[in-house]
Amino acid sequence: MVSPFAWFKWQALIRDWSVFGQGFANTLLAAALALALALGLGIVFGVFGAAPVKLTRVLNRIYVEFIQNTPLVIQVFFLYNGLPHLGVMLPVLVVGVLGVGVYHGAYIAEVVRAGIQSIHRGQLEAGLSQGFSYVGAMRHIILPQAARVVLPPLTNQAVSLVKNTSVLALIAGGDLMYHADSWSSDTLYYGPAYVLVGVLYLIICYPLATLARNLERRAGVSG
Amino acid sequence: MIRLEGVNKFFGHHHVLKNINLNVKSGEKLVIIGPSGSGKSTLIRSANLLEKPTSGKVIVNGVDITAPKAPVAKVRQSVAMVFQQFNLYPHKTVLENLTLAPVLIKGVPKAEAEESAKAFLERVGLTAKANAYPSQLSGGQQQRVAIARALNMKPQIMLFDEPTSALDPEMIQEVLDVMVDLAHGGITMVVVTHEMGFARQVADRVIFMDEGEIIEQGPPEHFFVNPTHERTKLFLSRILR
Amino acid sequence: MKKKLVAALSLLLVIGLLSGCGAAQTKSGDTGSKDAPDIKAIKDRGVLKVGVKVDVPNFGYKDPKTNKIDGFEVDLAKAIAKKILGNAEKVDLQAVTAKTRGPLLDSGEVDIVAATFTINEERKKSYNFSDPYYTDSVGLLVKKAAGYTGLKDLNGKTIGVAQSSTSKKAIKEAADKLGIKVSFLEFNTYPEIKAALDSGRVDAFSVDKSILSGYLDASTVILPDSFSPQEYGIASKKGNDALAKLVNDTVNEMKKSGEIDNLIKKWSLK
Ligand SMILES: Nc1ncnc2c1ncn2[C@@H]1O[C@H](COP(=O)(O)OP(=O)(O)OP(=O)(O)O)[C@@H](O)[C@H]1O
Ligand SMILES: [Mg+2]
């Protein structure tokens, strides 16, 4: 047989590198925007979940339970193929960012909530007794401490978020995975294509993991 | 300065404060004693609304902070609290612990807040520790920092909830010394403590609480020498033995 | 993490090397004996492993009610099993998609693939193909309400195609000839393209007509245009040359005997 990794297949890959370059750029963009959204949602809903207010805790539960108990693929399909039936046609990148961002936001919310609840109650009381509002005490006293607890699981979330942007491939989203699928199914040279894709995802995820680890170490020293 | 009017507090069915009426005058040093579980912490924490009374009013400087939409956070700026467990901010240095709230809440310029912070650190004898983190300090040092942190808000009232109970015996005195020093200034102080020596030395009035009620109160010379109530006598005999 | 990186890279390298070695070894296969090693392996196993579609009605389709896969290509697979093993029921049918059929062949998970696999020169470099057993052409499924009458009406529109399908190329060439511009979105499975057509993400669904007919419904219509007639062949792994020859012979015998025509009628194709 011809090896899936035959040299001429690599040559074809090099010839068509711009296809992968474009996919890589789209994946980076989608991942960055989705991560920003997920962090924003995660922090807000995490604080909601730990707040002494029933309403916000209920909102937290609805969001988290709904998202965690339905597959990402279904959510993304709904945004892509369901919303248009209701007259809302979101651009495919927005679908990806929204889908992946909202999905991981729910997981980050749980991480943040657990982080907040791991901080001794006296910290909040000290802040409140000094005249901080609840939100102010969260921002300046509780969350910075929770961040340290939360960083390792948060890193995992960020890394799996990057990888999960590959759901865009299922809705012709123009991401790295989509272009790799498209190119390798046209040429059937899937060997080099998926090796390259693996390496490119590694290139995004590895620095992310390193960054988070450094942050963690720095935070560890200062406390 | 602080007035509690008919304050009741329930935790579930547990009636922890029973119709408390209390008036703390400006500059007064009030010491609250009583057996464990009698409601002392709940009472003092009601004074800055860390516990919300089930019924009754808490009036601080003429402002009813139990009213709906009361400016609670604003009032708390002038009512500082020192906790049994210190509750210093572990992610901040000692100096930052002192300046965080003044800068962020009261809008004091940073340089000014640091200057006064250093003055208070000197007063509690911890100038050298300004850049240390709380975890690098002993319990007694942490509590002195907590007192300095409270002072740097320039409060009118200081609340202490058993400030020495979590300390090793050899560290108790250094904290009490700071508190006695404070008492000699004009500030209003409400102190929950088991330190009877301290009560005798600085209190204008001592209150004895039991089972959510104020059983007896009076100036220390009278209170310790000549208690009228059986329960007070029993408690004092146990604690002074 | 650095260690992990190194480990991951070397793993990839090892996979590459292994498959390279595999290629070298199979070349020295002996064809002089009674059964070539590729045929012998199937006989020893006692079952022929065939990759078929499960989502293309009349070709390879798994009925969700009975969980049985049948269709034209399944019957072909059985005929080949009969030829090799003497029993048409000795087939192990495995669901493949356009994306998985190549890798499954390479890894040996399936012996042959009969899954609406279009023969072309590029693909012949990677796999052995039998002579064609069916000729199909690419068509366009559109919404009736859109009022399109042919490809010429689709200027500036988006066409949904399946990954690994040749329809993209066929439509593109036809569009170039007409002097119009169309863009493409690629999906993994046909139902996804149909969903995208229904939701308006794409304006047309383009794939082989035989497949399209399975997705025709009250709101859609197949345009009369036909593009790039294409031939389906049965694929096998390069190196398994005796198997390829046997498959090819079987297909040609079935064509001559009229069996293929009967099957085409049986499955009401054309
Ligand atoms: N958050 C709470 N939920 C339920 N019960 C509580 C809560 N806080 C206090 N209690 C109960 O209220 C009663 C009074 O508690 P409080 O802490 O005011 O007593 P205390 O006089 O300060 O005791 P100690 O000397 O042990 O500190 C106790 O029975 C306690 O168990
Ligand atoms: Mg107490």
Side-chain angles (χ1 to χ4, degrees):
Chain A
M1 67 175 256
V2 176
S3 160
F5 298 93
W7 174 238
F8 72 91
K9 297 183 179 180
W10 287 99
Q11 283 174 312
L13 179 82
I14 292 162
R15 184 189 66 220
D16 292 338
W17 72 269
S18 66
V19 172
F20 291 86
Q22 196 196 335
F24 186 58
N26 285 341
T27 287
L28 267 184
L29 179 65
L33 294 176
L35 185 60
L37 177 64
L39 281 175
L41 285 172
I43 291 171
V44 168
F45 277 89
V47 170
F48 274 16
V53 183
K54 183 128 189 219
L55 176 69
T56 67
R57 284 203 307 272
V58 167
L59 286 177
N60 162 283
R61 277 345 286 169
I62 292 174
Y63 172 50
V64 171
E65 295 297 339
F66 180 76
I67 296 297
Q68 286 194 345
N69 292 304
T70 51
L72 172 59
V73 176
I74 302 291
Q75 292 162 23
V76 168
F77 269 11
F78 171 77
L79 293 175
Y80 186 75
N81 279 328
L83 281 187
H85 289 289
L86 308 174
V88 183
M89 181 80 83
L90 299 172
V92 70
L93 178 73
V94 175
V95 169
V97 168
L98 216 59
V100 176
V102 168
Y103 181 78
H104 283 280
Y107 285 88
I108 292 176
E110 284 299 84
V111 167
V112 169
R113 182 177 63 82
I116 291 171
Q117 288 173 342
S118 76
I119 304 303
H120 191 267
R121 198 182 152 72
Q123 290 294 312
L124 177 65
E125 291 183 349
L128 293 179
S129 78
Q130 287 204 288
F132 279 99
S133 64
Y134 182 82
V135 172
M138 273 294 142
R139 177 157 163 230
H140 296 287
I141 298 164
I142 309 298
L143 288 178
Q145 295 181 56
R148 219 179 305 165
V149 184
V150 152
L151 263 176
L154 210 55
T155 314
N156 293 337
Q157 281 301 316
V159 169
S160 68
L161 177 145
V162 171
K163 292 187 284 190
N164 270 342
T165 56
S166 60
V167 293
L168 273 170
L170 299 179
I171 52 167
D175 70 316
L176 182 55
M177 198 66 195
Y178 173 74
H179 283 297
D181 281 347
S182 165
W183 185 84
S184 58
S185 57
D186 273 359
T187 60
L188 295 182
Y189 303 160
Y190 61 86
Y194 292 124
V195 170
L196 177 65
V197 166
V199 170
L200 288 178
Y201 275 111
L202 200 69
I203 285 175
I204 312 180
C205 293
Y206 179 68
L208 202 63
T210 311
L211 172 79
R213 214 179 26 255
N214 287 345
L215 286 175
E216 200 182 331
R217 195 162 38 213
R218 213 182 308 160
V221 168
S222 72
Chain B
M1 189 114 268
I2 300 180
R3 205 161 73 240
L4 275 66
E5 291 181 359
V7 166
N8 283 284
K9 176 68 180 178
F10 287 86
F11 287 113
H13 292 295
H14 191 175
H15 200 171
V16 177
L17 293 182
K18 297 171 183 162
N19 193 30
I20 299 287
N21 290 290
L22 179 67
N23 194 2
V24 184
K25 290 190 288 291
S26 181
E28 186 175 5
K29 322 288 180 247
L30 179 68
V31 168
I32 303 174
I33 62 173
S36 181
S38 57
K40 308 180 296 292
S41 294
T42 309
L43 174 65
I44 199 171
R45 287 157 57 83
S46 302
N48 66 353
L49 231 60
L50 281 184
E51 293 303 349
K52 199 171 159 36
T54 313
S55 67
K57 282 184 187 174
V58 177
I59 296 156
V60 177
N61 274 337
V63 180
D64 178 2
I65 57 174
T66 46
K69 303 235 162 98
V72 178
K74 179 90 192 143
V75 170
R76 280 172 177 160
Q77 292 176 26
S78 56
V79 186
M81 186 157 210
V82 175
F83 299 86
Q84 185 172 347
Q85 300 295 338
F86 330 135
N87 296 344
L88 293 177
Y89 307 134
H91 60 305
K92 301 279 181 194
T93 63
V94 165
L95 193 66
E96 288 165 348
N97 262 277
L98 267 64
T99 57
L100 188 72
V103 171
L104 290 173
I105 305 294
K106 294 176 70 180
V108 178
K110 191 149 182 264
E112 196 179 304
E114 286 184 352
E115 201 177 318
S116 65
K118 283 175 183 157
F120 285 121
L121 282 178
E122 194 181 341
R123 188 158 163 198
V124 301
L126 287 170
T127 306
K129 298 291 185 186
N131 294 314
Y133 282 91
S135 59
Q136 298 166 317
L137 306 182
S138 73
Q141 290 172 329
Q142 288 193 49
Q143 193 61 299
R144 285 187 279 152
V145 170
I147 292 170
R149 175 175 74 177
L151 287 172
N152 208 29
M153 285 298 283
K154 314 278 169 66
Q156 295 169 289
I157 304 162
M158 298 252 307
L159 308 175
F160 294 80
D161 188 7
E162 305 205 29
T164 57
S165 298
L167 297 175
D168 293 339
E170 69 271 20
M171 293 175 183
I172 291 177
Q173 199 52 48
E174 67 189 54
V175 172
L176 289 178
D177 287 347
V178 168
M179 290 172 63
V180 169
D181 176 51
L182 262 184
H184 291 149
I187 198 164
T188 312
M189 285 169 79
V190 180
V191 184
V192 174
T193 187
H194 294 294
E195 296 297 330
M196 295 305 143
F198 173 81
R200 277 209 180 110
Q201 196 179 344
V202 306
D204 298 315
R205 178 162 53 133
V206 178
I207 285 183
F208 173 68
M209 274 190 84
D210 195 13
E211 293 183 356
E213 289 174 300
I214 296 176
I215 304 294
E216 183 164 0
Q217 52 182 310
E221 46 287 5
H222 174 255
F223 185 92
F224 287 112
V225 178
N226 209 355
T228 48
H229 242 270
E230 275 314 310
R231 277 197 264 179
T232 319
K233 284 180 195 161
L234 192 64
F235 177 74
L236 287 176
S237 70
R238 281 206 193 120
I239 204 160
L240 295 175
R241 186 154 30 138
Chain C
M1 188 67 201
K2 203 160 261 167
K3 261 191 209 144
K4 272 192 203 150
L5 177 73
V6 171
L9 284 177
S10 30
L11 186 67
L12 291 172
L13 203 66
V14 166
I15 293 171
L17 288 174
L18 281 181
S19 15
C21 294
Q25 275 163 8
T26 42
K27 264 185 205 129
S28 60
D30 175 18
T31 45
S33 73
K34 202 169 135 273
D35 276 323
D38 48 352
I39 306 275
K40 188 167 181 302
I42 295 166
K43 284 192 175 165
D44 288 350
R45 196 195 306 133
V47 63
L48 178 70
K49 295 191 288 188
V50 188
V52 293
K53 289 279 177 79
V54 289
D55 56 354
V56 186
N58 301 327
F59 279 80
Y61 184 74
K62 183 172 190 169
D63 189 331
K65 281 184 218 118
T66 63
N67 260 345
K68 276 193 57 165
I69 308 173
D70 50 25
F72 177 33
E73 286 167 335
V74 174
D75 288 350
L76 278 178
K78 286 180 176 168
I80 292 163
K82 178 140 195 246
K83 183 88 178 177
I84 300 175
L85 299 164
N87 184 345
E89 293 310 312
K90 295 279 195 227
V91 284
D92 175 7
L93 298 176
Q94 300 202 18
V96 300
T97 65
K99 197 173 151 188
T100 62
R101 59 194 176 190
L104 287 173
L105 271 177
D106 287 341
S107 68
E109 291 290 311
V110 297
D111 300 311
I112 58 172
V113 162
T116 61
F117 208 164
T118 301
I119 306 167
N120 68 26
E121 287 312 310
E122 186 88 26
R123 289 175 175 180
K124 279 188 190 165
K125 278 197 225 165
S126 298
Y127 304 103
N128 287 327
F129 279 90
S130 73
D131 290 340
Y133 55 82
Y134 186 79
T135 303
D136 200 1
S137 57
V138 171
L140 291 163
L141 181 75
V142 297
K143 279 194 185 156
K144 273 183 192 161
Y148 304 129
T149 59
L151 179 61
K152 62 181 186 332
D153 297 334
L154 291 175
N155 194 11
K157 302 293 180 192
T158 305
I159 298 176
V161 296
Q163 276 164 5
S164 278
S165 71
T166 44
S167 34
K168 180 169 152 189
K169 210 167 150 201
I171 299 287
K172 199 162 170 359
E173 279 167 9
D176 287 349
K177 255 183 227 145
L178 285 171
I180 62 168
K181 261 194 110 55
V182 292
S183 55
F184 295 93
L185 290 179
E186 298 177 28
F187 297 87
N188 262 324
T189 65
Y190 302 129
E192 288 170 39
I193 313 181
K194 182 59 166 53
L197 178 68
D198 289 341
S199 69
R201 290 277 174 186
V202 299
D203 303 295
F205 172 2
S206 173
V207 67
D208 307 348
K209 278 193 168 171
S210 54
I211 299 170
L212 274 188
S213 62
Y215 291 93
L216 195 60
D217 60 21
S219 68
T220 53
V221 59
I222 298 177
L223 296 179
D225 294 1
S226 276
F227 310 94
S228 108
Q230 50 189 309
E231 298 173 322
Y232 292 159
I234 297 174
S236 53
K237 185 151 104 177
K238 280 256 190 252
N240 290 352
D241 297 338
L243 176 62
K245 182 167 180 323
L246 187 146
V247 167
N248 196 37
D249 291 348
T250 310
V251 167
N252 283 324
E253 278 163 29
M254 290 175 79
K255 273 204 255 186
K256 226 175 277 163
S257 69
E259 247 178 286
I260 295 258
D261 287 336
N262 285 340
L263 286 179
I264 288 175
K265 243 178 253 141
K266 171 183 169 190
W267 293 105
S268 49
L269 303 166
K270 293 215 175 113

